[in-house]
Amino acid sequence: MKKILSLTLILSVIMIMFSGCLQSPKTLTVGTDATYEPFESIDESGNFVGLDIELIEMVAAEMDMELEIKNVNWDGIIPGLLNGNYDCLISAMTITEERQKQISFSDPYFSIRQVIVVKEENNQIKSPADLIGKTVTAQIGTTGDLYASNIKGINMKRFDTNPLAVQELLNNNADAVVMDDLVASKAINRNPGLKMIVINDIETEYYGIGVKKENTELLEKINQALETLKTSGKLTELTQKYKPGN
């Protein structure tokens, strides 16, 4: 009887260990505002697409984790992270001192510049100083919004999404839009008759993946995955894919 019990116990331990090996990978839940093409958007089939989406898929694969993406409004994306609605966020978010007071960021994975978008026939606006006295739009809470809001004497109009900010310009209800350069390139490709003006008086901005400050273990794993993708050349290959003209 003792031998039978011992054998049963051993088999039970083996089964537990074996079942543990067969467990599904853990899931990485990610928040994004899928209205910022070409970084994140939803295609005609209802799938998440874009540079950020492909990157977080690669990061999750490096971490041996399944991926779940949640579409979140931009103004609620950081509160959602802090509330535990997802593990991290990736949404073309610039690493700023103000945001770092709330959350931690991964190592940078992409750099951009702020630009002004106007209609091609507009020859009055050639620099930020020319925005004074004009109506300017931006997606609320973006660095484009923050930059334009610091220019005294402009009429600022904010929208929940970048496409709405651009549409206001197309509808002749605004003189200019301020946004990230690669997003501007995509908007111009979609809407012939627009042009961009690079803002040279501000520094290059860098995007990062956001995590809760206390989640240092996840942040370390994400940074390790990003480093692997950089070293292998996969990150460069991905970013080049989304450069204008590709």
Side-chain angles (χ1 to χ4, degrees):
M1 180 61 72
K2 288 183 180 180
K3 290 182 179 180
I4 293 174
L5 289 174
S6 297
L7 181 59
T8 302
L9 180 60
I10 292 171
L11 289 173
S12 298
V13 171
I14 292 173
M15 289 300 295
I16 291 171
M17 293 174 63
F18 186 68
S19 62
C21 294
L22 293 180
Q23 286 180 354
S24 299
K26 292 183 179 179
T27 299
L28 180 68
T29 307
V30 182
T32 192
D33 175 20
T35 63
Y36 211 58
E37 203 174 9
F39 291 96
E40 43 269 322
S41 60
I42 298 176
D43 66 13
E44 295 178 354
S45 301
N47 300 312
F48 288 99
V49 294
L51 189 157
D52 281 353
I53 304 303
E54 289 194 50
L55 176 59
I56 201 64
E57 289 173 346
M58 294 163 67
V59 167
E62 288 292 336
M63 295 165 59
D64 194 26
M65 298 180 75
E66 298 291 342
L67 183 65
E68 179 185 1
I69 301 176
K70 294 185 177 182
N71 195 8
V72 187
N73 289 335
W74 177 255
D75 59 354
I77 197 166
I78 289 181
L81 176 65
L82 297 176
N83 195 46
N85 297 346
Y86 27 88
D87 304 310
C88 65
L89 64 84
I90 186 168
S91 199
M93 183 173 284
T94 299
I95 302 170
T96 66
E97 289 185 10
E98 192 64 29
R99 288 170 180 159
Q100 286 177 313
K101 294 176 183 177
Q102 301 179 74
I103 64 175
S104 294
F105 282 98
S106 70
D107 296 332
Y109 66 85
F110 197 82
S111 63
I112 60 98
R113 299 293 298 270
Q114 290 298 315
V115 298
I116 301 167
V117 176
V118 298
K119 290 196 170 182
E120 281 186 343
E121 64 267 24
N122 187 332
N123 295 315
Q124 295 180 336
I125 299 176
K126 299 179 180 179
S127 70
D130 297 326
L131 296 176
I132 297 172
K134 303 295 193 299
T135 297
V136 180
T137 68
Q139 182 178 3
I140 188 169
T142 60
T143 46
D145 175 20
L146 299 175
Y147 176 81
S149 297
N150 285 326
I151 302 175
K152 295 181 180 180
I154 68 171
N155 175 31
M156 195 70 204
K157 299 175 76 172
R158 300 174 178 85
F159 293 86
D160 289 336
T161 68
N162 196 68
L164 289 176
V166 174
Q167 191 60 49
E168 193 75 351
L169 173 63
L170 295 172
N171 291 343
N172 297 314
N173 294 323
D175 300 293
V177 191
V178 180
M179 66 181 86
D180 298 352
D181 55 4
L182 187 56
V183 181
S185 295
K186 194 68 177 182
I188 291 170
N189 288 338
R190 282 187 171 275
N191 302 283
L194 300 179
K195 64 181 180 181
M196 77 168 76
I197 301 156
V198 177
I199 302 173
N200 293 313
D201 64 345
I202 53 177
E203 296 180 354
T204 299
E205 298 177 6
Y206 297 93
Y207 291 162
I209 299 170
V211 301
K212 294 174 73 173
K213 281 184 173 294
E214 58 268 29
N215 203 345
T216 56
E217 182 180 354
L218 177 60
L219 181 62
E220 183 178 346
K221 289 180 179 179
I222 289 174
N223 280 334
Q224 288 175 349
L226 286 174
E227 182 60 33
T228 299
L229 294 172
K230 290 176 183 176
T231 302
S232 67
K234 291 181 179 179
L235 180 58
T236 299
E237 183 180 344
L238 174 63
T239 55
Q240 287 299 319
K241 172 183 173 181
Y242 284 91
K243 293 289 185 181
N246 293 337

Tab-separated table of all heavy atoms in Angstrom, residues 159-201:
chain	number	residue	atom	x	y	z
A	159	PHE	N	-8.981	68.931	-30.195
A	159	PHE	CA	-9.880	67.853	-30.587
A	159	PHE	C	-9.440	66.534	-29.958
A	159	PHE	O	-8.269	66.356	-29.624
A	159	PHE	CB	-9.908	67.727	-32.111
A	159	PHE	CG	-10.526	68.914	-32.798
A	159	PHE	CD1	-9.750	70.035	-33.112
A	159	PHE	CD2	-11.881	68.939	-33.092
A	159	PHE	CE1	-10.314	71.143	-33.727
A	159	PHE	CE2	-12.461	70.040	-33.707
A	159	PHE	CZ	-11.670	71.150	-34.026
A	160	ASP	N	-10.380	65.608	-29.838
A	160	ASP	CA	-10.084	64.326	-29.208
A	160	ASP	C	-9.129	63.475	-30.041
A	160	ASP	O	-8.400	62.649	-29.499
A	160	ASP	CB	-11.377	63.537	-28.966
A	160	ASP	CG	-12.219	64.140	-27.849
A	160	ASP	OD1	-11.646	64.840	-26.988
A	160	ASP	OD2	-13.439	63.915	-27.847
A	161	THR	N	-9.151	63.649	-31.362
A	161	THR	CA	-8.279	62.869	-32.234
A	161	THR	C	-7.573	63.788	-33.237
A	161	THR	O	-8.073	64.888	-33.553
A	161	THR	CB	-9.056	61.800	-33.021
A	161	THR	OG1	-9.915	62.448	-33.975
A	161	THR	CG2	-9.880	60.923	-32.097
A	162	ASN	N	-6.452	63.322	-33.749
A	162	ASN	CA	-5.713	64.101	-34.736
A	162	ASN	C	-6.478	64.263	-36.055
A	162	ASN	O	-6.461	65.344	-36.643
A	162	ASN	CB	-4.348	63.461	-34.976
A	162	ASN	CG	-3.391	64.405	-35.675
A	162	ASN	OD1	-2.961	65.397	-35.106
A	162	ASN	ND2	-3.064	64.103	-36.920
A	163	PRO	N	-7.156	63.210	-36.565
A	163	PRO	CA	-7.932	63.395	-37.795
A	163	PRO	C	-8.979	64.504	-37.690
A	163	PRO	O	-9.216	65.219	-38.670
A	163	PRO	CB	-8.593	62.019	-37.987
A	163	PRO	CG	-7.633	61.064	-37.364
A	163	PRO	CD	-7.116	61.788	-36.161
A	164	LEU	N	-9.579	64.668	-36.521
A	164	LEU	CA	-10.560	65.744	-36.344
A	164	LEU	C	-9.882	67.107	-36.398
A	164	LEU	O	-10.439	68.072	-36.940
A	164	LEU	CB	-11.297	65.577	-35.019
A	164	LEU	CG	-12.295	64.415	-34.923
A	164	LEU	CD1	-12.867	64.318	-33.512
A	164	LEU	CD2	-13.410	64.573	-35.948
A	165	ALA	N	-8.670	67.194	-35.851
A	165	ALA	CA	-7.916	68.448	-35.893
A	165	ALA	C	-7.565	68.808	-37.334
A	165	ALA	O	-7.644	69.976	-37.733
A	165	ALA	CB	-6.653	68.324	-35.045
A	166	VAL	N	-7.184	67.802	-38.123
A	166	VAL	CA	-6.861	68.031	-39.539
A	166	VAL	C	-8.109	68.404	-40.326
A	166	VAL	O	-8.080	69.296	-41.188
A	166	VAL	CB	-6.203	66.771	-40.149
A	166	VAL	CG1	-6.005	66.941	-41.659
A	166	VAL	CG2	-4.873	66.482	-39.466
A	167	GLN	N	-9.209	67.765	-40.021
A	167	GLN	CA	-10.458	68.037	-40.738
A	167	GLN	C	-10.898	69.483	-40.551
A	167	GLN	O	-11.457	70.092	-41.476
A	167	GLN	CB	-11.558	67.083	-40.250
A	167	GLN	CG	-12.820	67.108	-41.103
A	167	GLN	CD	-12.557	66.717	-42.551
A	167	GLN	OE1	-11.910	65.705	-42.817
A	167	GLN	NE2	-13.032	67.511	-43.502
A	168	GLU	N	-10.637	70.034	-39.389
A	168	GLU	CA	-10.987	71.438	-39.142
A	168	GLU	C	-10.220	72.354	-40.088
A	168	GLU	O	-10.746	73.363	-40.569
A	168	GLU	CB	-10.685	71.794	-37.681
A	168	GLU	CG	-11.288	73.098	-37.219
A	168	GLU	CD	-12.791	73.039	-36.962
A	168	GLU	OE1	-13.422	72.008	-37.302
A	168	GLU	OE2	-13.328	74.024	-36.436
A	169	LEU	N	-8.974	72.011	-40.379
A	169	LEU	CA	-8.187	72.765	-41.358
A	169	LEU	C	-8.760	72.589	-42.756
A	169	LEU	O	-8.910	73.561	-43.509
A	169	LEU	CB	-6.731	72.296	-41.323
A	169	LEU	CG	-5.794	72.859	-42.397
A	169	LEU	CD1	-5.653	74.362	-42.272
A	169	LEU	CD2	-4.419	72.178	-42.317
A	170	LEU	N	-9.098	71.352	-43.105
A	170	LEU	CA	-9.659	71.070	-44.433
A	170	LEU	C	-10.987	71.777	-44.642
A	170	LEU	O	-11.335	72.144	-45.767
A	170	LEU	CB	-9.833	69.559	-44.610
A	170	LEU	CG	-8.537	68.727	-44.634
A	170	LEU	CD1	-8.863	67.237	-44.607
A	170	LEU	CD2	-7.693	69.070	-45.846
A	171	ASN	N	-11.725	71.958	-43.555
A	171	ASN	CA	-13.033	72.622	-43.631
A	171	ASN	C	-12.914	74.150	-43.608
A	171	ASN	O	-13.929	74.852	-43.528
A	171	ASN	CB	-13.922	72.173	-42.470
A	171	ASN	CG	-14.343	70.723	-42.580
A	171	ASN	OD1	-14.248	70.122	-43.653
A	171	ASN	ND2	-14.803	70.142	-41.482
A	172	ASN	N	-11.677	74.635	-43.637
A	172	ASN	CA	-11.408	76.083	-43.609
A	172	ASN	C	-11.861	76.751	-42.313
A	172	ASN	O	-12.144	77.955	-42.294
A	172	ASN	CB	-12.077	76.783	-44.808
A	172	ASN	CG	-11.531	76.319	-46.142
A	172	ASN	OD1	-10.314	76.212	-46.316
A	172	ASN	ND2	-12.415	76.016	-47.081
A	173	ASN	N	-11.903	75.982	-41.239
A	173	ASN	CA	-12.252	76.535	-39.936
A	173	ASN	C	-11.016	76.751	-39.064
A	173	ASN	O	-11.132	77.075	-37.888
A	173	ASN	CB	-13.233	75.611	-39.211
A	173	ASN	CG	-14.574	75.536	-39.917
A	173	ASN	OD1	-15.052	76.531	-40.460
A	173	ASN	ND2	-15.180	74.359	-39.930
A	174	ALA	N	-9.846	76.525	-39.637
A	174	ALA	CA	-8.583	76.738	-38.933
A	174	ALA	C	-7.502	77.078	-39.955
A	174	ALA	O	-7.639	76.785	-41.148
A	174	ALA	CB	-8.190	75.499	-38.136
A	175	ASP	N	-6.436	77.714	-39.468
A	175	ASP	CA	-5.340	78.108	-40.347
A	175	ASP	C	-4.204	77.102	-40.357
A	175	ASP	O	-3.440	77.026	-41.329
A	175	ASP	CB	-4.787	79.465	-39.897
A	175	ASP	CG	-5.848	80.556	-39.933
A	175	ASP	OD1	-6.294	80.898	-41.036
A	175	ASP	OD2	-6.224	81.046	-38.858
A	176	ALA	N	-4.073	76.312	-39.264
A	176	ALA	CA	-2.940	75.396	-39.165
A	176	ALA	C	-3.215	74.319	-38.126
A	176	ALA	O	-4.086	74.472	-37.261
A	176	ALA	CB	-1.674	76.157	-38.792
A	177	VAL	N	-2.449	73.233	-38.241
A	177	VAL	CA	-2.475	72.151	-37.251
A	177	VAL	C	-1.036	71.907	-36.812
A	177	VAL	O	-0.126	71.965	-37.640
A	177	VAL	CB	-3.040	70.837	-37.843
A	177	VAL	CG1	-3.297	69.813	-36.732
A	177	VAL	CG2	-4.314	71.096	-38.621
A	178	VAL	N	-0.833	71.628	-35.521
A	178	VAL	CA	0.503	71.288	-35.036
A	178	VAL	C	0.492	69.827	-34.607
A	178	VAL	O	-0.386	69.393	-33.851
A	178	VAL	CB	0.928	72.183	-33.853
A	178	VAL	CG1	2.323	71.798	-33.365
A	178	VAL	CG2	0.902	73.650	-34.267
A	179	MET	N	1.482	69.046	-35.114
A	179	MET	CA	1.507	67.608	-34.843
A	179	MET	C	2.904	67.052	-35.079
A	179	MET	O	3.813	67.771	-35.509
A	179	MET	CB	0.493	66.880	-35.735
A	179	MET	CG	0.834	66.925	-37.208
A	179	MET	SD	-0.382	66.099	-38.261
A	179	MET	CE	-1.557	67.433	-38.498
A	180	ASP	N	3.077	65.750	-34.846
A	180	ASP	CA	4.351	65.068	-35.085
A	180	ASP	C	4.601	64.920	-36.584
A	180	ASP	O	3.663	64.741	-37.370
A	180	ASP	CB	4.344	63.679	-34.429
A	180	ASP	CG	4.177	63.758	-32.921
A	180	ASP	OD1	4.219	64.871	-32.376
A	180	ASP	OD2	3.998	62.700	-32.283
A	181	ASP	N	5.871	64.962	-36.980
A	181	ASP	CA	6.209	64.996	-38.406
A	181	ASP	C	5.760	63.784	-39.214
A	181	ASP	O	5.233	63.918	-40.313
A	181	ASP	CB	7.704	65.243	-38.608
A	181	ASP	CG	8.598	64.253	-37.871
A	181	ASP	OD1	8.085	63.304	-37.255
A	181	ASP	OD2	9.839	64.442	-37.913
A	182	LEU	N	5.941	62.575	-38.672
A	182	LEU	CA	5.560	61.388	-39.435
A	182	LEU	C	4.041	61.287	-39.575
A	182	LEU	O	3.526	60.865	-40.616
A	182	LEU	CB	6.107	60.117	-38.770
A	182	LEU	CG	5.915	58.821	-39.557
A	182	LEU	CD1	6.516	58.937	-40.957
A	182	LEU	CD2	6.538	57.638	-38.822
A	183	VAL	N	3.332	61.702	-38.541
A	183	VAL	CA	1.866	61.726	-38.597
A	183	VAL	C	1.411	62.767	-39.613
A	183	VAL	O	0.452	62.559	-40.363
A	183	VAL	CB	1.268	62.023	-37.203
A	183	VAL	CG1	-0.252	62.028	-37.254
A	183	VAL	CG2	1.758	61.000	-36.187
A	184	ALA	N	2.129	63.881	-39.661
A	184	ALA	CA	1.822	64.926	-40.644
A	184	ALA	C	2.022	64.406	-42.065
A	184	ALA	O	1.210	64.677	-42.956
A	184	ALA	CB	2.694	66.145	-40.402
A	185	SER	N	3.096	63.649	-42.277
A	185	SER	CA	3.364	63.086	-43.611
A	185	SER	C	2.218	62.188	-44.059
A	185	SER	O	1.792	62.233	-45.221
A	185	SER	CB	4.669	62.287	-43.591
A	185	SER	OG	5.771	63.120	-43.337
A	186	LYS	N	1.723	61.389	-43.131
A	186	LYS	CA	0.600	60.504	-43.455
A	186	LYS	C	-0.653	61.309	-43.761
A	186	LYS	O	-1.383	60.998	-44.711
A	186	LYS	CB	0.343	59.552	-42.276
A	186	LYS	CG	-0.567	58.389	-42.618
A	186	LYS	CD	0.096	57.435	-43.584
A	186	LYS	CE	-0.768	56.219	-43.874
A	186	LYS	NZ	-0.094	55.268	-44.792
A	187	ALA	N	-0.905	62.354	-42.982
A	187	ALA	CA	-2.089	63.188	-43.199
A	187	ALA	C	-2.021	63.896	-44.548
A	187	ALA	O	-3.028	64.016	-45.257
A	187	ALA	CB	-2.214	64.212	-42.068
A	188	ILE	N	-0.826	64.344	-44.917
A	188	ILE	CA	-0.646	65.028	-46.208
A	188	ILE	C	-0.834	64.059	-47.366
A	188	ILE	O	-1.420	64.404	-48.402
A	188	ILE	CB	0.741	65.697	-46.258
A	188	ILE	CG1	0.786	66.871	-45.276
A	188	ILE	CG2	1.071	66.174	-47.668
A	188	ILE	CD1	2.155	67.455	-45.061
A	189	ASN	N	-0.361	62.829	-47.217
A	189	ASN	CA	-0.557	61.809	-48.257
A	189	ASN	C	-2.035	61.506	-48.451
A	189	ASN	O	-2.489	61.249	-49.570
A	189	ASN	CB	0.185	60.527	-47.893
A	189	ASN	CG	1.693	60.669	-48.030
A	189	ASN	OD1	2.169	61.535	-48.754
A	189	ASN	ND2	2.447	59.827	-47.343
A	190	ARG	N	-2.771	61.527	-47.377
A	190	ARG	CA	-4.202	61.229	-47.438
A	190	ARG	C	-5.017	62.426	-47.926
A	190	ARG	O	-6.121	62.264	-48.447
A	190	ARG	CB	-4.728	60.799	-46.063
A	190	ARG	CG	-4.402	59.364	-45.689
A	190	ARG	CD	-5.102	58.977	-44.387
A	190	ARG	NE	-4.974	57.568	-44.131
A	190	ARG	CZ	-5.772	56.626	-44.615
A	190	ARG	NH1	-6.763	56.983	-45.425
A	190	ARG	NH2	-5.598	55.357	-44.328
A	191	ASN	N	-4.470	63.619	-47.727
A	191	ASN	CA	-5.217	64.833	-48.055
A	191	ASN	C	-4.356	65.752	-48.912
A	191	ASN	O	-3.720	66.681	-48.396
A	191	ASN	CB	-5.635	65.562	-46.772
A	191	ASN	CG	-6.474	64.696	-45.848
A	191	ASN	OD1	-7.649	64.491	-46.071
A	191	ASN	ND2	-5.839	64.170	-44.801
A	192	PRO	N	-4.303	65.514	-50.216
A	192	PRO	CA	-3.513	66.371	-51.109
A	192	PRO	C	-3.932	67.835	-50.956
A	192	PRO	O	-5.105	68.135	-50.747
A	192	PRO	CB	-3.855	65.838	-52.505
A	192	PRO	CG	-4.276	64.416	-52.263
A	192	PRO	CD	-4.976	64.433	-50.935
A	193	GLY	N	-2.951	68.716	-51.060
A	193	GLY	CA	-3.254	70.139	-50.913
A	193	GLY	C	-2.774	70.699	-49.590
A	193	GLY	O	-2.976	71.882	-49.300
A	194	LEU	N	-2.102	69.833	-48.784
A	194	LEU	CA	-1.536	70.277	-47.515
A	194	LEU	C	-0.015	70.236	-47.596
A	194	LEU	O	0.560	69.503	-48.398
A	194	LEU	CB	-2.019	69.387	-46.360
A	194	LEU	CG	-3.519	69.318	-46.092
A	194	LEU	CD1	-3.806	68.373	-44.933
A	194	LEU	CD2	-4.090	70.706	-45.808
A	195	LYS	N	0.639	70.988	-46.750
A	195	LYS	CA	2.106	70.983	-46.665
A	195	LYS	C	2.519	71.166	-45.211
A	195	LYS	O	1.719	71.586	-44.372
A	195	LYS	CB	2.714	72.085	-47.533
A	195	LYS	CG	2.358	73.494	-47.084
A	195	LYS	CD	2.974	74.550	-47.996
A	195	LYS	CE	2.609	75.967	-47.545
A	195	LYS	NZ	3.184	77.006	-48.431
A	196	MET	N	3.779	70.837	-44.909
A	196	MET	CA	4.259	70.970	-43.528
A	196	MET	C	5.422	71.936	-43.437
A	196	MET	O	6.183	72.113	-44.387
A	196	MET	CB	4.647	69.602	-42.956
A	196	MET	CG	5.960	69.063	-43.429
A	196	MET	SD	6.523	67.630	-42.452
A	196	MET	CE	5.461	66.343	-43.117
A	197	ILE	N	5.525	72.548	-42.261
A	197	ILE	CA	6.621	73.464	-41.948
A	197	ILE	C	7.286	72.945	-40.681
A	197	ILE	O	6.636	72.826	-39.634
A	197	ILE	CB	6.097	74.888	-41.720
A	197	ILE	CG1	5.367	75.384	-42.974
A	197	ILE	CG2	7.233	75.829	-41.336
A	197	ILE	CD1	4.354	76.458	-42.706
A	198	VAL	N	8.563	72.601	-40.752
A	198	VAL	CA	9.272	72.061	-39.598
A	198	VAL	C	9.538	73.170	-38.586
A	198	VAL	O	9.940	74.279	-38.951
A	198	VAL	CB	10.597	71.405	-40.018
A	198	VAL	CG1	11.375	70.917	-38.805
A	198	VAL	CG2	10.333	70.253	-40.980
A	199	ILE	N	9.280	72.870	-37.318
A	199	ILE	CA	9.567	73.819	-36.241
A	199	ILE	C	10.988	73.546	-35.747
A	199	ILE	O	11.268	72.482	-35.188
A	199	ILE	CB	8.552	73.665	-35.089
A	199	ILE	CG1	7.119	73.888	-35.607
A	199	ILE	CG2	8.866	74.632	-33.955
A	199	ILE	CD1	6.040	73.600	-34.581
A	200	ASN	N	11.862	74.497	-35.935
A	200	ASN	CA	13.277	74.278	-35.626
A	200	ASN	C	13.697	74.751	-34.240
A	200	ASN	O	14.822	74.491	-33.824
A	200	ASN	CB	14.151	74.989	-36.673
A	200	ASN	CG	14.017	74.351	-38.044
A	200	ASN	OD1	14.073	73.133	-38.176
A	200	ASN	ND2	13.841	75.177	-39.067
A	201	ASP	N	12.816	75.437	-33.527
A	201	ASP	CA	13.228	76.006	-32.243
A	201	ASP	C	12.932	75.094	-31.047
A	201	ASP	O	13.030	75.517	-29.903
A	201	ASP	CB	12.573	77.370	-32.024
A	201	ASP	CG	11.054	77.291	-31.914
A	201	ASP	OD1	10.497	76.234	-32.292
A	201	ASP	OD2	10.445	78.263	-31.445
